[in-house]
Amino acid sequence: MAIEFTENEIRAAAAEVGNAFAAYDAAPSPAHVFSQNHESAMRVFFGTAEKVQRTRRRRRVLRDLAACLAGFVIALASATVFIPGVNAAVRRLVPELGRPGSIYEGIEIAEQLQFGSLQEAVDKYVAYLENQYLRDLAVSGNYCYCRIPGRGTSLAWYKAILDRPSDEEFFLERESERRKSELHSAIAKHQAEFVASLFGDDAWNNVTYYVEKSEQDVPVGTYIEVSTGERLTKEQYIEMLDRFWTRVAKKEGISTDELYKDGQYTAAARKHLGELPARMDWLPGTQSYTVHLLFNGSGYARDNGELIGDVRFIVSGVQDVWEISQGVTWDAPGYSWD
Amino acid sequence: MFPLFICTIEDPVKRSDCELLYMEYRQHMFGVARSILKDDALSEDVVQDVFIKLIEKDKLPSLDDPRTKAYLTVAAEHRALDILRGRKNISEDGLSEEAAGICVPMEASELAMAVNGLPAAYREVILLHYYMGYSPKELAKYLGIEHKSVLKRLERARGMLKEIMQGE
């Protein structure tokens, strides 16, 4: 016999299911701390691995392994990058301002670019802020993250950015990725425009800067081939570990997903930890510098009668390896993290 | 501390509402996504993506509305399945059989149990249409598919319900 339902019967059944959904509590992983700081730190230090993880499932394990190996360094780095103490030296320079708080208008570059010198890092980052090669960075997946506390961005503008039609030059692997990269590069653009609003339309045409040694150095990571001691690029490192863990999985007769579960190596993986062909290391002697930008010779401007400025970012590195370890930041009056 | 996409909301009332929703439901949505994706980073992305979509709407769901949690659960499940589909390279048509979605325990009428037992893509349209009151046109926009595909999916869902009930 054929069964028929009325629309009301389905509606009533849907309400029952909906109510069950409303009562349902999905339990997150107990090990997971939903922390943007942590996430940002991960992006700063493992940006490339994260990108690979998004596109190639079997490589997901690599980031976790790297994170495990360098967990304690991340904690150190997080403290260095995100705790306002890093800017104590800057505040000492301008104690008379008496600002209640320092905001981190931080662009944290996800896929960490490395530069050959401090000068190159500074010049390219300033050029990035000037939008000179913004699009190239966005296309390469170099996402930037920032917060805009106390300086709300126009939602209309934000929507306009997200609703932009597809553009071949912005083609990325997935639509959502394209939208994110557009958003993040647009944030940098917004920041550049914000600076222009404070210091004048020609602000970016008249940029000078001075560099100050930071009190705390942000470690810069590198990758070493164990057998030769030679430095590897991030891509070489990932490829090497990818091949290694694939081989281990094959040898153990399991999938690579079964090598690392719930934040820990499985017994099958632990047996092979001593055979890792490459390791992550931190460059000895890394130094960090705060780069203070001056626009038309001035570091501060008045915004609604209050001083705002000291636009700056931090570059870290040693010899021929330099990174932007903290993106552009500035002080705004009246902001408190609480 | 709230993520960027919330800080960008200009209307202070809307921003405050969004912050409350975020604080209240982010862990739950994360849990929903993680039960599907088994991946913390991607699950956080799911929460972010759902909220970004949410703030594009003229009106946010109310914190007091009992349907809000169900809606956000469905939204997180939908986005997580979307990501899963991308990772597994499954076509839209293959989604229904492949992705079961989350498993919500419940005691209810036979028909409700049948709705709950539908593949996620079909359960979703039933819930959004009959429970949340989305019109097929609104559903098409929400799901990013054509209007006729929504009607087809609703029709197929009803057909599946009949099959399940006849089998019992």
Side-chain angles (χ1 to χ4, degrees), chain A residues 16 25 32 53-54 153, chain B residues 8 28 39 44-45 69 109:
Chain A
E16 285 186 72
D25 278 316
H32 183 76
Q53 171 245 8
R54 285 163 193 271
T153 305
Chain B
T8 55
H28 170 71
D39 183 299
E44 288 197 0
D45 282 355
K69 189 176 174 188
S109 66

Side-chain angles (χ1 to χ4, degrees), chain A residues 2-4 7 11 16-19 22 24-26 28 32 34 36 53-54 57 60 63 146 153 162 187, chain B residues 3-4 8 22 27-28 30 32 39-41 44-45 56 66 69-70 87 108-109 112 127 130-131 162 166:
Chain A
I3 291 181
E4 294 294 335
E7 291 280 293
R11 192 164 286 117
E16 285 186 72
V17 179
N19 291 337
Y24 170 64
D25 278 316
H32 183 76
F34 205 103
Q36 202 177 21
Q53 171 245 8
R54 285 163 193 271
R57 186 165 174 252
R60 187 181 59 205
R63 188 196 59 174
C146 86
T153 305
L162 288 180
I187 289 163
Chain B
L4 161 75
T8 55
Y22 180 77
Q27 284 284 10
H28 170 71
F30 174 82
V32 168
D39 183 299
D40 288 356
E44 288 197 0
D45 282 355
E56 287 174 339
K69 189 176 174 188
R87 283 170 62 178
S109 66
L127 283 177
Y130 288 106
Y131 180 62
K162 282 180 194 171
Q166 274 170 349

Side-chain angles (χ1 to χ4, degrees), chain B residues 20 48 53 87 120 124 135 162:
Chain B
L20 289 173
Q48 171 169 319
K53 240 186 162 180
R87 283 170 62 178
E124 178 182 64
S135 70
K162 282 180 194 171

Side-chain angles (χ1 to χ4, degrees), chain A residues 55-205:
Chain A
T55 53
R56 293 185 60 182
R57 186 165 174 252
R58 70 192 180 120
R59 288 187 178 176
R60 187 181 59 205
V61 71
L62 298 178
R63 188 196 59 174
D64 295 336
L65 294 174
C68 187
L69 288 170
F72 75 98
V73 186
I74 293 173
L76 172 67
S78 300
T80 311
V81 172
F82 294 106
I83 291 175
V86 76
N87 287 311
V90 177
R91 287 207 197 82
R92 273 207 304 278
L93 291 174
V94 281
E96 72 281 3
L97 294 175
R99 292 185 299 273
S102 168
I103 66 164
Y104 284 86
E105 197 80 22
I107 294 181
E108 289 132 24
I109 295 186
E111 187 171 8
Q112 198 73 34
L113 284 183
Q114 293 195 323
F115 304 98
S117 67
L118 172 63
Q119 184 75 46
E120 186 192 354
V122 173
D123 289 345
K124 289 206 166 162
Y125 190 63
V126 170
Y128 171 69
L129 292 171
E130 290 176 295
N131 302 330
Q132 285 182 9
Y133 67 117
L134 198 62
R135 183 168 275 217
D136 292 341
L137 286 183
V139 170
S140 73
N142 204 334
Y143 308 136
C144 304
Y145 292 80
C146 86
R147 298 178 284 270
I148 312 187
R151 303 292 308 183
T153 305
S154 156
L155 185 59
W157 165 84
Y158 172 79
K159 282 177 71 175
I161 293 295
L162 288 180
D163 290 343
R164 271 168 58 164
S166 181
D167 177 338
E168 279 187 10
E169 286 182 51
F170 267 91
F171 176 76
L172 288 176
E173 194 170 278
R174 294 175 50 195
E175 175 69 8
S176 62
E177 296 298 320
R178 182 184 70 78
R179 288 159 68 95
K180 277 184 191 172
S181 74
E182 284 196 357
L183 170 63
H184 297 142
S185 56
I187 289 163
K189 183 170 184 292
H190 168 71
Q191 291 180 315
E193 287 170 356
F194 175 65
V195 165
S197 76
L198 290 177
F199 295 95
D201 290 342
D202 62 342
W204 288 104
N205 297 328

Side-chain angles (χ1 to χ4, degrees), chain A residues 204-236:
Chain A
W204 288 104
N205 297 328
N206 296 288
V207 187
T208 53
Y209 56 80
Y210 64 95
V211 177
E212 179 192 31
K213 178 78 184 75
S214 291
E215 283 186 341
Q216 296 180 50
D217 295 320
V218 182
V220 170
T222 189
Y223 308 94
I224 306 290
E225 184 172 3
V226 173
S227 61
T228 62
E230 285 181 10
R231 212 162 73 199
L232 302 168
T233 64
K234 216 177 253 187
E235 290 71 25
Q236 289 170 327

